[in-house]
Amino acid sequence: QLVMFAVAGIGGYLYMGNKVDGMMNENLPFGGAFQVAAGCMLTHMLISYLIKGVVTCKSVHRAVDRTYAHASDNRPRSWIGWVCIVSSMLVLAWFLANIVPFFGAAVDLLGASVTPISCWLIPLICYMRMSWDYPDWEDSEARKGGRRSKFIKIVEWIVIGIECILALILMIFGTRSSLLTIVEEWETFGEPFECHCEGLWQTCGCSSQHAGMAELCP
């Protein structure tokens, strides 16, 4: 997964540089490559968000009906509760997806504001808190697999500090940039629950601004 994301990111930058607008696959012209990219995106979303959806729904199930929330519980009440929770989550996801008319900008905003916190800051803070609460844990681990040098520990904390700074920079300036984009393009997004065919249909009425459509839509 790391290799695939690195190839997509580096390859996209080499291909378009800072001209990328929105998600990477949206910058491909209509054709075979665009369809393959869309298929890969669909596969990724089905797999990753199915896993996340199961975890979320199971947490809700345990919170509202813990006695009947075990994974191996086949009693009717357990299945009825699970189906109701999953169905409610599906309806909620559909509602939120349609009430927000700017999908790409919303993804950018969530990625800039939430990802640095959940993927960088929270794990680093947990590690720092563990090191603070249990200062001798490294010594006990060292007795099992060899002691780390003091130099490596110093380098480790320097890297942690750099990662925290980078995460804060990305969160602050990325969120600001996403909010400014939403404000500037607010009039072009349309109304909630409005049909949006931009980037989906190869017609001038829907995708005149899509990559490769300039020659067809004067």
Side-chain angles (χ1 to χ4, degrees):
Q1 188 179 18
L2 175 62
V3 173
M4 293 180 66
F5 275 108
V7 170
I10 296 174
Y13 184 79
L14 292 176
Y15 178 65
M16 297 196 66
N18 60 355
K19 296 181 180 179
V20 175
D21 182 26
M23 302 183 70
M24 188 71 68
N25 60 321
E26 295 176 353
N27 295 271
L28 293 173
F30 288 106
F34 182 75
Q35 293 175 338
V36 171
C40 292
M41 177 64 74
L42 175 63
T43 304
H44 166 70
M45 299 292 282
L46 288 176
I47 295 174
S48 61
Y49 284 89
L50 176 62
I51 296 173
K52 296 176 181 179
V54 169
V55 173
T56 303
C57 292
K58 178 56 67 175
S59 299
V60 175
H61 198 184
R62 289 174 179 169
V64 299
D65 197 6
R66 178 174 292 273
T67 306
Y68 292 85
H70 196 274
S72 60
D73 193 341
N74 289 318
R75 288 175 290 182
R77 175 172 169 176
S78 177
W79 275 105
I80 292 174
W82 174 252
V83 171
C84 290
I85 291 171
V86 171
S87 301
S88 300
M89 193 67 67
L90 177 63
V91 173
L92 178 62
W94 174 86
F95 179 78
L96 292 177
N98 282 275
I99 201 173
V100 179
F102 45 91
F103 178 76
V107 171
D108 293 341
L109 178 60
L110 290 176
S113 59
V114 178
T115 301
I117 297 176
S118 61
C119 296
W120 286 25
L121 292 178
I122 290 179
L124 291 175
I125 291 173
C126 290
Y127 178 79
M128 289 186 285
R129 180 58 189 266
M130 184 185 69
S131 299
W132 176 269
D133 291 339
Y134 304 98
D136 297 330
W137 75 271
E138 290 185 337
D139 295 332
S140 62
E141 291 294 325
R143 287 192 289 270
K144 299 177 183 178
R147 185 178 297 276
R148 293 190 304 166
S149 66
K150 196 173 194 179
F151 173 76
I152 294 179
K153 292 181 181 180
I154 294 175
V155 172
E156 179 186 57
W157 284 105
I158 292 175
V159 172
I160 289 176
I162 294 174
E163 289 181 342
C164 288
I165 294 173
L166 287 176
L168 290 173
I169 292 175
L170 288 173
M171 182 178 66
I172 294 172
F173 290 97
T175 302
R176 177 181 178 274
S177 176
S178 299
L179 289 174
L180 288 177
T181 300
I182 292 175
V183 172
E184 292 173 359
E185 301 181 3
W186 184 263
E187 299 296 332
T188 66
F189 290 140
E191 300 294 332
F193 295 97
E194 186 176 334
C195 179
H196 294 275
C197 59
E198 299 88 350
L200 297 178
W201 297 343
Q202 192 176 357
T203 62
C204 294
C206 289
S207 307
S208 60
Q209 303 298 321
H210 191 82
M213 293 292 289
E215 298 178 357
L216 301 176
C217 305

